[in-house]
Amino acid sequence: MNKNKLKEFVNALDSLSDEVKDWDIDMNSEEKPMCDTPGCHAGLISIVAKDLPELQEFQGIYYQELQDVYNDDCRVYEYITWHYALAEFLGFEDKQDLKYWAQYNPELWGNKYGYDMFVCQRAFTDDKDKKLTHRDLINHWKQVLVNIERKIKRR
């Protein structure tokens, strides 16, 4: 993971308005909620991409690839393309590597469920009854950055 890109991503997340930070998240949703973004982790990425043109550019590439494959405007693109775009933005060579990185680095991700970051709230909290908000995900990503910086300092 490119630490500087992660820092750029986290800073952009942290700059979002309190209103956006407090929006609820449905981790299983691929539907567009009222805010016109997927109602999951990918939705948060799509919102912050407005402040990160490079992230938007990556999403556009993957969106076009999926349109070529599915040949229609399928709703799944919303989730998948933002997942792929974030992986590339953060410096991973393969679009699946972000999830694998989180799975195999639980001490940096914060738990052993990082692979599920785009589909399950357990990647962000152990509390099954907790209603996640964007703020929860933002705070998680901020802690990931802190964990990485601590690891680098220990070397």
Side-chain angles (χ1 to χ4, degrees):
M1 177 170 317
N2 181 319
K3 184 182 73 103
N4 291 329
K5 287 296 191 180
L6 176 59
K7 191 176 285 190
E8 186 179 347
F9 176 64
V10 167
N11 287 337
L13 288 171
D14 205 30
S15 296
L16 293 171
S17 72
D18 284 335
E19 177 186 4
V20 171
K21 288 178 181 178
D22 291 333
W23 284 348
D24 289 338
I25 293 178
D26 178 356
M27 290 297 289
N28 297 315
S29 174
E30 293 175 356
E31 299 290 332
K32 287 186 178 183
M34 303 272 290
C35 60
D36 246 2
T37 61
C40 60
H41 184 196
L44 175 60
I45 297 164
S46 71
I47 293 167
V48 79
K50 294 173 181 138
D51 298 323
L52 298 169
E54 186 180 2
L55 183 56
Q56 274 188 316
E57 186 178 316
F58 290 140
Q59 188 271 345
I61 292 167
Y62 288 115
Y63 174 79
Q64 188 57 54
E65 285 178 9
L66 285 177
Q67 290 303 299
D68 293 345
V69 170
Y70 290 106
N71 199 24
D72 69 358
D73 191 12
C74 64
R75 64 188 155 104
V76 174
Y77 82 88
E78 293 281 354
Y79 153 77
I80 294 173
T81 59
W82 288 114
H83 157 200
Y84 292 171
L86 182 61
E88 189 163 348
F89 179 80
L90 293 176
F92 291 97
E93 288 187 29
D94 184 274
K95 57 194 174 200
Q96 298 293 336
D97 284 349
L98 171 58
K99 295 189 314 183
Y100 287 117
W101 173 88
Q103 178 182 4
Y104 295 120
N105 292 283
E107 73 284 358
L108 299 177
W109 177 252
N111 63 52
K112 64 182 181 180
Y113 302 110
Y115 183 85
D116 296 330
M117 72 173 75
F118 289 97
V119 295
C120 189
Q121 82 177 42
R122 72 181 181 172
F124 298 97
T125 182
D126 291 335
D127 186 350
K128 295 176 184 176
D129 297 323
K130 180 173 177 41
K131 183 69 176 165
L132 284 180
T133 66
H134 285 156
R135 189 177 304 278
D136 296 314
L137 275 60
I138 291 166
N139 288 339
H140 192 93
W141 277 109
K142 287 166 73 173
Q143 187 61 50
V144 168
L145 177 60
V146 167
N147 294 344
I148 289 171
E149 288 175 333
R150 281 185 188 148
K151 183 178 180 180
I152 291 170
K153 284 182 182 178
R154 281 184 272 172
R155 289 183 185 171

